[in-house]
Amino acid sequence: MSKVIAQLCISLDGCYAGPRDDEPNWFKSVEAPGFFRITRWVTESMAWRDRLQLEGGEANVNDEVIAESFARPGAYVMGRRMFDGGERPWGEEPPFRNPVFVVTHREREKLERQGGTSFTFVTDGLESAIAQAKAAAGEKEVAIAGGGTMIKHALELGLLDELELHHVPVILGDGQRLLDVNIGAREGIELVPERMIHTPEVTHIRYRVEGRAPLVLDSRGGKYEGLGES
Amino acid sequence: MSKVIAQLCISLDGCYAGPRDDEPNWFKSVEAPGFFRITRWVTESMAWRDRLQLEGGEANVNDEVIAESFARPGAYVMGRRMFDGGERPWGEEPPFRNPVFVVTHREREKLERQGGTSFTFVTDGLESAIAQAKAAAGEKEVAIAGGGTMIKHALELGLLDELELHHVPVILGDGQRLLDVNIGAREGIELVPERMIHTPEVTHIRYRVEGRAPLVLDSRGGKYEGLGES
């Protein structure tokens, strides 16, 4: 059975881009500089450059992480905002090379693109999109491609089996946060690290998502027995 | 020359405690459950329990990280809020065993405690407290003990040489953020990982703080030459 996986680049303060901005030219917005910093290691990888039909790049361990992230999914799920932003720049041969299921409120005909990518528009929600992606993925995994809101939503709903975070050693101070999930203040989402690859540019940690669990006080080794009883 | 160092436990979403709360009994506040979760690995360590004169604990690699964090500083700098919260529970033999310089607006006589801890109240700012701590630390390091606001302030002012983050694999969703430093949206604080110790409970990464640097757009490998020019 396919797992539902996602991966994200984040700063040490948990941001994947600068603060949201209404600047119509996104490249001039304050969102862009943080996003570019966090994803710089990706654009330096040979696997990414190859997928985008660019010359050069470095074949290193970060490159292998990217190559693997292209190889594992047999289908993708994507939010409407990410699709809208990508439709034009991705062009006739988008980098997914697999069926993509776009969660949206607007009905639209399926789009077939070159290189194995298709876009199917799903109007009955994320769970339905995941079910359709699982059927299309065969033995491979279903990846939530993004954006952040879609991944967050999958985490909140307990639909994500695995999350790989690419921790980039920079502090942005403020920005869009991928993990500000809407759960109670007395519960957290527990994860279990299953693989760790550390490089100077980025630390890749792949987590199994255990799911929501209550956050409990302990007695601090008996030091604070009865704490909170007063 | 002493380095100025700090260490923090943070969740994957960059929080060190739950959201700020005015509940007078802190143990009943929504701040506490997140803080307890993030620091649970500490209380399970033998070095911490030993320092607090408790029985038990586990001698493992996390324990060594704690033991080292007690061994390296020759003096501490602390915020006023942390001192106020700790003064009573720390008692006659606080766990610092070194001179502590408390940044405050209130003049107060120096306190001498058992076991090598003293508290000196510094009313002319963080830089002065660090200078006094350096003079007291000898060959050892100066640690910013906390709280979060003080560490943030040292980062903003470029006064921190090293930051060790203990990344705990839990998502809190909302809470107090240690790294929401007040810098411009087009600059970040760059760090360079110098040591990484990974365990299932927590990933310890020690970073050298490089300092503020502009966040620049790149051309995404030539794909977006001229981006943002329109």
Side-chain angles (χ1 to χ4, degrees):
Chain A
M1 185 64 171
S2 301
K3 284 193 288 191
V4 181
I5 67 178
Q7 53 163 347
L8 328 157
C9 300
I10 58 171
S11 66
L12 296 181
D13 49 330
C15 301
Y16 67 99
R20 195 172 285 243
D21 187 347
D22 290 328
E23 161 64 43
N25 182 339
W26 184 79
F27 294 109
K28 289 185 172 171
S29 74
V30 294
E31 299 186 22
F35 175 81
F36 273 71
R37 172 64 191 87
I38 298 299
T39 56
R40 195 171 66 205
W41 69 276
V42 178
T43 69
E44 287 165 357
S45 82
M46 210 164 68
W48 182 87
R49 299 176 74 92
D50 185 55
R51 182 62 68 113
L52 272 75
Q53 300 171 334
L54 299 167
E55 298 291 314
E58 287 172 50
N60 55 25
V61 65
N62 290 332
D63 182 56
E64 286 166 32
V65 170
I66 296 288
E68 185 187 47
S69 78
F70 283 134
R72 292 177 75 209
Y76 289 89
V77 170
M78 184 181 289
R80 195 265 314 158
R81 197 164 176 256
M82 178 170 173
F83 173 78
D84 283 351
E87 184 176 4
R88 278 185 53 206
W90 291 327
E92 279 308 303
E93 196 175 337
F96 304 100
R97 302 189 189 171
N98 284 287
V100 179
F101 296 85
V102 181
V103 182
T104 177
H105 293 294
R106 290 171 310 194
E107 305 257 359
R108 185 168 167 186
E109 286 282 302
K110 182 176 177 179
L111 301 177
E112 295 283 357
R113 295 285 189 245
Q114 289 166 36
T117 302
S118 63
F119 295 101
T120 301
F121 299 90
V122 178
T123 54
D124 56 347
L126 176 57
E127 288 195 60
S128 167
I130 288 175
Q132 292 179 55
K134 280 189 176 180
E139 295 295 302
K140 300 180 103 181
E141 316 298 8
V142 169
I144 313 274
T149 309
M150 192 93 293
I151 295 172
K152 215 181 296 186
H153 202 41
L155 265 171
E156 285 166 355
L157 294 173
L159 299 172
L160 201 62
D161 299 308
E162 179 192 299
L163 176 64
E164 182 156 16
L165 292 178
H166 309 293
H167 299 275
V168 177
V170 66
I171 298 167
L172 299 184
D174 188 18
Q176 294 170 67
R177 299 180 188 282
L178 276 159
L179 303 175
D180 59 347
V181 291
N182 186 19
I183 56 175
R186 293 184 185 274
E187 63 178 350
I189 296 174
E190 295 285 343
L191 300 97
V192 177
E194 296 202 316
R195 191 187 71 171
M196 197 281 311
I197 297 173
H198 179 65
T199 76
E201 297 81 26
V202 51
T203 303
H204 313 276
I205 308 185
R206 182 181 290 171
Y207 302 93
R208 176 165 51 79
V209 181
E210 280 262 292
R212 294 189 189 199
L215 298 169
V216 294
L217 305 197
D218 59 74
S219 74
R220 302 281 101 169
K223 193 83 178 169
Y224 298 122
E225 294 291 8
L227 47 80
E229 284 175 10
S230 66
Chain B
M1 185 65 171
S2 302
K3 283 193 289 192
V4 180
I5 66 178
Q7 53 163 348
L8 327 157
C9 301
I10 58 170
S11 65
L12 296 182
D13 49 329
C15 301
Y16 67 100
R20 193 171 288 243
D21 187 346
D22 291 327
E23 161 64 44
N25 182 338
W26 184 79
F27 294 109
K28 289 186 173 171
S29 75
V30 294
E31 299 187 22
F35 175 81
F36 273 71
R37 172 64 191 90
I38 298 299
T39 56
R40 194 170 68 205
W41 68 276
V42 178
T43 69
E44 287 166 357
S45 81
M46 211 164 67
W48 182 86
R49 299 175 75 91
D50 185 55
R51 184 60 69 113
L52 272 76
Q53 299 170 335
L54 299 167
E55 300 290 315
E58 287 172 49
N60 54 27
V61 64
N62 290 332
D63 183 55
E64 286 167 31
V65 170
I66 296 288
E68 185 187 48
S69 77
F70 284 133
R72 291 177 74 207
Y76 290 89
V77 170
M78 185 181 289
R80 194 266 312 159
R81 198 166 176 256
M82 179 172 173
F83 173 78
D84 283 352
E87 184 175 6
R88 276 185 56 205
W90 291 327
E92 280 308 303
E93 196 175 335
F96 304 100
R97 301 188 188 172
N98 284 287
V100 179
F101 296 85
V102 181
V103 182
T104 176
H105 294 292
R106 291 171 310 194
E107 306 256 0
R108 186 169 167 185
E109 286 281 302
K110 181 177 177 179
L111 302 177
E112 295 283 357
R113 294 286 189 246
Q114 290 167 34
T117 301
S118 63
F119 295 101
T120 301
F121 300 89
V122 177
T123 55
D124 56 347
L126 176 57
E127 288 194 60
S128 168
I130 288 175
Q132 292 180 56
K134 280 188 175 180
E139 296 295 302
K140 300 180 103 181
E141 315 298 8
V142 169
I144 313 273
T149 310
M150 192 93 292
I151 295 172
K152 215 181 299 187
H153 202 42
L155 265 171
E156 285 166 355
L157 293 173
L159 300 172
L160 201 62
D161 299 310
E162 178 192 299
L163 177 64
E164 182 156 15
L165 293 177
H166 309 293
H167 298 275
V168 177
V170 66
I171 298 166
L172 298 184
D174 188 18
Q176 293 171 66
R177 299 180 189 281
L178 277 159
L179 303 175
D180 59 347
V181 291
N182 186 19
I183 56 175
R186 294 183 186 275
E187 63 178 351
I189 296 175
E190 294 286 342
L191 300 98
V192 177
E194 296 201 318
R195 191 186 72 170
M196 197 282 309
I197 297 173
H198 179 65
T199 76
E201 297 81 27
V202 51
T203 303
H204 313 277
I205 308 185
R206 182 181 290 171
Y207 302 93
R208 175 166 52 79
V209 182
E210 280 262 293
R212 295 190 189 198
L215 298 169
V216 293
L217 305 197
D218 59 72
S219 73
R220 301 282 99 168
K223 192 84 178 170
Y224 299 123
E225 294 290 9
L227 47 81
E229 285 176 10
S230 67

